[in-house]
Amino acid sequence: MLQRLRSSLCRVLARGSAFGPPGLATRNSSPGLVGFAVRHVSPLRHAFPRSRSFVMACLSRATAALARQDCSNGCPAPFAGERGPEVAETFRAKDLIVTPATELKEKPDPDSLVFGTVFTDHMLTVEWSSASGWEKPHIKPFENLSIHPAASALHYGVELFEGLKAFRGVDNKIRLFRPNLNMKRMYRSAVRTTLPVFDEEELLECILQLIQIDQEWVPYSTSASLYIRPTFIGTEPSLGIKKPSKAQLFVILSPVGSYFSGGTFNPVSLWANPKYVRAWEGGTGDCKMGGNYGASLLAQCEAAENGCQQVLWLYGKDDQITEVGTMNLFLYWINEDGEEELATPPLDGIILPGVTRQSIIELARQWGEFKVCERYLTMNDLTTALAGNRVKEMFGSGTAGIVCPISGVLYKGQMLHIPTMENGPKLASRILEKLTDIQYGREESDWTIVLP
């Protein structure tokens, strides 16, 4: 009888039931959030709402766990009976525990900052487990993490991160630039990584309180800022490849200087070689995961060996243009139809949905002075346009550099000259000025959140 029940349970878990699938994918209710939020529902609750307790009573806990493992490829549905009576579905900022640092570090000179090498006095941590859900968030002195050597983040890359900034404005007020978009993207990455989801607004509120405590670390400079790095790792202490039962979310802060050497608007050259691919259809190119970046380092080294500063990532047999290094790409040109156009590759699952990218598109459309298009671009499109003198500017966009002009592309052994700097660059400079005016409070905008 036990074997028959075990087989029946396995079949139910494998196919769900007529009343609903094991995991219901529903559109997330957060405004503007693209993608799906996965609400985990026990298949037994759907298939046998009244007899679930009978089934579980007939199966030993070990047998039930084995059946689930056999039929779910490492992604067992959460059984309430194994998780305890109360499971915290998200953490809350009102429950924040604050342990102040007793020794404060000396603040660095904003003019001598090297990106990501200096960190503030405090950090935010939140633990999660499948048994009890989210624990209370904790702001505490900056310290090393203690992690099990078998943690899934170390072996299988079960992790993700975000990157945003806090700016000290000309009015001495501290602003964050569109942080809600970073929270939404982090949520989407968590779903893709099988890490637990959370309330985006609660995380943002915890981050704001962390910055409030370390506010003196926000540089008193309009050429520097405080970089915010939320990170989420699977801490499952097992070498099994499966959805983690334990995870840790943490946020660290780092004062950073200008992305450009000496604060100048220097152009970069790109190395375009199709032998390396950053992302592919059905992959994780639209999520901010460490694996996307670690795997790019060899190509970046080859770009440097060939005298270029960044990689121009290509995709497909037609050498589609996708991204620049860690930035989105824009081409300002006269298109095939003779129209003045600002073009950028579409969000098709290969491109990271950058916050700066979205802001540039929205700004350009508000100006209404030229066509703004999310479209596919190939190297043939670029070389043909260069031959016809139809290229005005090319630039990358991202949190680190905001706007980065491009002066050349090394492709198939030939350096293609991009006349970005000869044309001003009028558009790239205008966009950079507009965005920095908003970020540093020279212009009021609903794109910023001001710390009280």
Side-chain angles (χ1 to χ4, degrees), residues 186-203:
M186 187 170 180
Y187 185 106
R188 292 195 299 270
S189 296
V191 171
R192 184 64 173 86
T193 326
T194 72
L195 286 168
V197 294
F198 49 87
D199 188 292
E200 302 152 25
E201 293 183 2
E202 295 294 337
L203 174 56

Side-chain angles (χ1 to χ4, degrees), residues 259 269-271 276 293-313 324-326:
Y259 179 78
S269 59
L270 310 179
W271 182 68
Y276 294 118
Y293 296 82
S296 73
L297 296 178
L298 180 58
Q300 179 60 44
C301 289
E302 288 202 30
E305 291 172 1
N306 284 276
C308 299
Q309 288 78 45
Q310 293 285 351
V311 177
L312 176 58
W313 296 104
V324 179
T326 58

Side-chain angles (χ1 to χ4, degrees), residues 243-286:
K243 175 181 176 180
S245 64
K246 293 184 178 181
Q248 182 178 31
L249 189 158
F250 62 92
V251 182
I252 55 179
L253 309 175
S254 175
V256 296
S258 173
Y259 179 78
F260 303 104
S261 176
T264 58
F265 198 46
N266 290 329
V268 298
S269 59
L270 310 179
W271 182 68
N273 192 318
K275 76 173 183 177
Y276 294 118
V277 179
R278 176 193 170 273
W280 52 89
E281 293 180 4
T284 58
D286 59 345

Side-chain angles (χ1 to χ4, degrees), residues 378-407:
T378 66
M379 284 304 299
N380 183 63
D381 293 330
L382 178 60
T383 55
T384 301
L386 286 170
N389 295 317
R390 292 189 285 112
V391 174
K392 294 177 176 289
E393 300 176 32
M394 181 183 282
F395 54 88
S397 71
T399 298
I402 307 177
V403 176
C404 179
I406 296 165
S407 60

Side-chain angles (χ1 to χ4, degrees), residues 105-106 108-110 112-120 142 217 225-227 229 252-257:
K105 294 175 283 189
E106 184 179 353
D109 180 357
S112 61
L113 291 169
V114 177
F115 186 87
T117 59
V118 178
F119 299 94
T120 66
F142 187 93
W217 283 88
S225 56
L226 183 70
Y227 187 80
R229 172 53 66 87
I252 55 179
L253 309 175
S254 175
V256 296

